[in-house]
Amino acid sequence: MANTRAALTDEDLRTLVKGATPDERAVAAHKLCRTIEAAELDPEERERAHDILRVMATDAAELVRRAVAVTLKNSPALPRDVALKLARDVDGVALPILSFSPAFTDEDLAEIIRLGEPIRQVAVAKRPALSSTVTDVIAEVGVERAVEAACANDNAHFAERSLQKVIDRFEQSERVLSAMAYRNTLPLAVTEKLVELVSEKVLDHLVSAHALSPDLALQIALGAKERATIDLVDQAGRAADMRSFVAHLNKHERLTASLLLRALVHGHMTFFEWSLAELASIPHHRTWLMIHDAGPLGLRAIYERAGLPARLLPAFRAGVDAYHSMSFDGSAGERKRFQEHLMQRFLTQPHTAVREDVEYLLEKMDRVAAEARRPANARNAA
């Protein structure tokens, strides 16, 4: 091993094999590991280096084995068989390797999760990256701390079925559910379940945090109750995939007449259009024409095709008419004025909605009016 010997003397090798104390052998092991990691070795030299690593991995002194584990924990120079041997060692040796080593296959890590103690499961769960093969096993058999760590690891890829399994196993664990709720992205069906289970504090974060992307706000909206859903449509309306949003709501029987009415009153015309298109099974461009360009008979036709209740048609017509009567540029101040006008227009229509709808809209209108009356500096501070 010419390259290795250039940096490691015969004295180092003798110390490694016959060193009088564990400290001496650990120093020699550390130096050799650094040399192996840095050297450019041909296949024959690499195999000799691996043989030396195998010797060090069987040293009677834990300090020597730990020197190997810590020095080569991130290194591709560590052969798989040595990594597996060190992974079965005492915690001080095993944990650095389990946490970082790239030598393991997904199958190795899955087996370690199945057989490992909780502290080793947690070490695997916190690795820099995990495939769905590994997280499947964590979701199935991992202890609570390991599952929490994996959910908190945004570089751990979870299949939807695995996240559902986690919820089934740990629906009473605030720690696990919170870790999942703070992930960067979640499947729609998972967030629908999750929002029903998390604490108020976590729900407030999901709903209110400015860091929410429009798509994530849309996902959370799918799991909220109807009023929370319409409160979130403000954010979801900025997402590009409104078609998928309403399709998912319809699949779970949440695309109700009351929800559509509340959305329309808040000026969410795009949501209203796509909802009617989904319920009526008519392409969006045709639905748009029937709502906006075909007169009162067009709105009635698409409304009836969607199967919405006849008693609410006057309320929907009032909302559409109010929308057409105003210009709306999308600014925050204009949105408040626009929503207030729509709500007032709606509320002047007699006998068009059930009592709870009217009460809800009055509450929202009061909130809009109160916000409009606040001084500009106070609104900015908020």
Side-chain angles (χ1 to χ4, degrees), residues 49-317:
H50 288 177
D51 286 341
I52 295 175
L53 290 174
R54 292 181 182 105
V55 171
M56 289 189 286
T58 60
D59 195 288
E62 178 184 336
L63 188 61
V64 175
R65 304 193 306 275
R66 178 169 170 78
V68 177
V70 171
T71 306
L72 295 181
K73 64 183 180 181
N74 292 307
S75 176
L78 186 68
R80 176 170 172 260
D81 64 304
V82 177
L84 288 170
K85 183 174 184 59
L86 296 174
R88 294 189 291 268
D89 212 318
V90 297
D91 289 346
V93 176
L95 294 182
I97 293 294
L98 292 175
S99 297
F100 299 103
S101 178
F104 300 114
T105 66
D106 286 345
E107 290 69 25
D108 294 335
L109 295 173
E111 187 66 12
I112 290 166
I113 291 294
R114 291 190 185 95
L115 302 178
E117 298 173 355
I119 191 172
R120 300 183 182 220
Q121 290 186 353
V122 172
V124 172
K126 292 181 176 181
R127 285 172 64 86
L130 290 176
S131 72
S132 58
T133 298
V134 182
T135 56
D136 284 349
V137 180
I138 294 176
E140 186 70 31
V141 303
V143 298
E144 181 180 9
R145 285 191 296 131
V147 174
E148 177 190 0
C151 288
N153 182 354
D154 272 315
N155 293 317
H157 178 71
F158 278 86
E160 181 176 328
R161 65 180 181 279
S162 296
L163 292 172
Q164 295 282 10
K165 181 65 177 180
V166 169
I167 293 175
D168 291 342
R169 288 185 63 205
F170 296 101
E171 64 177 345
Q172 301 299 321
S173 172
E174 183 175 348
R175 293 173 57 178
V176 171
L177 296 180
S178 295
M180 187 183 297
Y182 279 79
R183 289 181 66 81
N184 285 338
T185 59
L186 287 170
L188 300 181
V190 171
T191 49
E192 184 174 52
K193 262 191 175 182
L194 191 61
V195 173
E196 302 289 341
L197 297 172
V198 296
S199 68
E200 286 298 321
K201 179 180 178 180
V202 177
L203 183 59
D204 285 345
H205 166 79
L206 293 173
V207 173
S208 303
H210 293 294
L212 276 180
S213 68
D215 288 339
L216 186 55
L218 183 152
Q219 293 171 15
I220 295 168
L222 299 180
K225 294 183 180 178
E226 187 171 280
R227 295 186 185 185
T229 300
I230 201 60
D231 289 340
L232 282 170
V233 170
D234 284 324
Q235 297 179 60
R238 299 195 299 271
D241 198 2
M242 187 63 75
R243 179 178 183 176
S244 294
F245 181 27
V246 299
H248 191 89
L249 288 177
N250 191 35
K251 178 181 177 181
H252 293 274
E253 300 181 350
R254 293 180 181 272
L255 209 56
T256 63
S258 182
L259 176 61
L260 266 64
L261 186 59
R262 287 171 175 156
L264 181 59
V265 166
H266 283 75
H268 301 302
M269 181 57 74
T270 300
F271 174 79
F272 176 63
E273 293 164 0
W274 278 103
S275 297
L276 284 186
E278 170 72 18
L279 291 171
S281 299
I282 290 178
H284 175 262
H285 69 278
R286 289 183 56 195
T287 300
W288 188 95
L289 288 172
M290 296 177 77
I291 293 173
H292 299 292
D293 244 13
L297 294 181
L299 177 61
R300 175 185 292 275
I302 189 68
Y303 183 90
E304 292 176 350
R305 174 70 177 266
L308 296 171
R311 66 184 177 85
L312 290 178
L313 177 58
F316 281 100
R317 190 182 304 284

Side-chain angles (χ1 to χ4, degrees), residues 21-38:
T21 68
D23 286 349
E24 291 176 350
R25 298 200 304 278
V27 170
H30 173 76
K31 186 174 182 180
L32 179 58
C33 289
R34 286 297 187 203
T35 301
I36 290 173
E37 184 177 27

